[in-house]
Amino acid sequence: MARRILAAGNWKMNMTPAEAAAFINDNKAAFASDDVDVLFCVPAIDLPAALAAAEGTNINIGAENMYFEEKGAFTGEIAPGMLDDLGVKFVIIGHSERREYFAETDEIVNKKVLKALEHGICPVMCCGESLTQREQGVTQEWVRQQVKIGLLGVDADAVKKVVIAYEPIWAIGTGVTATSDQAEEVCGWIRALLVELYGADVAEEVRVLYGGSVNGGNAAELFAKPNIDGGLVGGASLKPSFADIIHYNK
Ligand code: PGA
């Protein structure tokens, strides 16, 4: 079965609930697609408004983060059951901004991935190297380690629900996109690791996205690569022209 392209937005810390609802309502016709899956991962406080606005459309709404405990004394955190209760089906885990500013480690990412899956929520698990690591020539080792640790304890059935997003840190929010060959090379390494861990049939079913300055102008070339199954999009997901990414092949 061919993997469906996923155009996923990551709003980060942008948009109020009212802005979220207006953005989705104003653009839902332009974001409609029969052959591309559409997802906006939004700030937790926007989730109810975004879910309500997206109801009856093809737009999926996800969260940007989640904690790995069920409940308790974790001030400020969002429990998986809270997302579940709202009907949230996707959550970004281990974005490089979470790793950099909120000290998330591969072990924390792994706990969150396992917990999301336990709740039937698809984790969009992020990985990617810094510019220094790329220059040092350790990109492959680094990304393999992030993905391998992130997926510890995830069995072959569950991994099919995981989306992996390769996002080189040097390409995020910088306007510098990895070339489609650079992006394909690393996404191919991730696919090869999945083959090692789960076998070829399972690896064929897992979606691997590229993220880092994706826009309407470069999506077609990136998404045409055999191991790139869509994009995780920051800045360009806040604009109506996100439709150009969804309709990259038109
Ligand atoms: P960007 O962000 O598209 O603005 O580079 C991507 C991301 O951080 O997911």
Side-chain angles (χ1 to χ4, degrees), residues 15-243:
M15 300 249 202
T16 64
E19 288 166 347
F23 179 77
I24 293 168
N25 279 321
D26 291 351
N27 294 292
K28 58 188 169 196
F31 293 164
S33 171
D34 290 331
D35 40 35
V36 171
D37 290 339
V38 179
L39 167 67
F40 289 105
C41 293
V42 309
I45 202 159
D46 293 353
L47 284 168
L51 284 160
E55 208 179 324
T57 75
N58 62 312
I59 300 168
N60 295 283
I61 300 297
E64 297 176 10
N65 181 34
M66 182 202 88
Y67 200 48
F68 56 76
E69 294 288 355
E70 292 292 339
K71 57 157 74 176
F74 304 103
T75 301
E77 290 295 323
I78 308 291
M82 296 171 186
L83 299 182
D84 212 358
D85 182 68
L86 288 177
V88 171
K89 295 277 175 272
F90 292 88
V91 60
I92 298 174
I93 301 290
H95 189 278
S96 61
E97 287 150 18
R98 300 286 323 164
R99 294 175 187 260
E100 181 176 353
Y101 306 128
F102 304 96
E104 284 195 12
T105 62
D106 291 333
E107 287 72 19
I108 292 173
V109 169
N110 178 233
K111 286 185 187 178
K112 291 183 171 188
V113 164
L114 290 168
K115 187 52 84 172
L117 289 167
E118 197 183 307
H119 281 265
I121 301 170
C122 302
V124 180
M125 187 181 85
C126 301
C127 59
E129 82 288 1
S130 66
L131 187 56
T132 306
Q133 288 164 329
R134 176 158 283 266
E135 287 169 354
Q136 290 168 334
V138 299
T139 299
Q140 186 176 17
E141 291 93 322
W142 181 260
V143 171
R144 275 179 62 96
Q145 173 165 321
Q146 285 182 315
V147 175
K148 201 166 176 179
I149 297 174
L151 293 177
L152 284 175
V154 176
D155 66 26
D157 240 10
V159 81
K160 295 176 191 169
K161 300 190 191 79
V162 177
V163 176
I164 298 175
Y166 166 58
E167 300 204 301
I169 296 168
W170 48 272
I172 294 178
T174 56
V176 182
T177 318
T179 66
S180 57
D181 287 339
Q182 285 173 320
E184 167 64 14
E185 180 177 43
V186 181
C187 292
W189 288 335
I190 294 169
R191 184 93 49 211
L193 173 62
L194 293 169
V195 173
E196 273 175 45
L197 295 174
Y198 299 102
D201 290 353
V202 172
E204 272 305 302
E205 289 192 44
V206 180
R207 285 193 282 198
V208 180
L209 311 183
Y210 164 77
S213 300
V214 174
N215 59 46
N218 56 32
E221 186 180 334
L222 288 161
F223 299 176
K225 292 290 182 185
N227 286 297
I228 301 179
D229 308 313
L232 183 56
V233 185
S237 74
L238 295 163
K239 300 183 198 132
S241 57
F242 186 69

